């Protein structure tokens, strides 16, 4: 989604107020849990849903 939207991980980090390290963990499928508020912010910024692009 980052590539499709033309957003870097650092820019997404600034936009959703989540550290680059935490976003990297999620991006590389190493995350074990995510808060719903974080998921919501990510989906809003990337214009997607947990199921895929909107």
């Amino acid at each position: 989604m980052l590539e499709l939207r033309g957003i870097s991980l650092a820019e997404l980090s600034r936009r959703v107020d989540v550290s680059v390290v935490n976003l990297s963990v999620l991006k590389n499928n190493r995350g074990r849990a995510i808060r719903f508020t974080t998921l919501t912010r990510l989906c809003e910024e990337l214009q997607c849903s947990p199921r895929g692009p909107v």
Side-chain angles (χ1 to χ4, degrees):
M1 293 306 303
L2 290 172
E3 191 173 318
L4 285 173
R5 303 293 187 241
I7 301 172
S8 70
L9 202 60
E11 177 63 23
L12 182 62
S13 171
R14 282 189 291 276
R15 291 183 185 187
V16 298
D17 196 30
V18 175
S19 74
V20 174
V21 172
N22 285 337
L23 289 178
S24 180
V25 168
L26 293 172
K27 179 183 172 191
N28 293 306
N29 294 319
R30 289 182 281 144
R32 295 189 300 152
I34 185 170
R35 290 185 174 141
F36 284 115
T37 55
T38 301
L39 180 61
T40 299
R41 288 194 319 254
L42 289 170
C43 287
E44 286 172 353
E45 191 59 46
L46 296 172
Q47 299 172 346
C48 64
S49 75
R51 295 182 223 183
V54 175

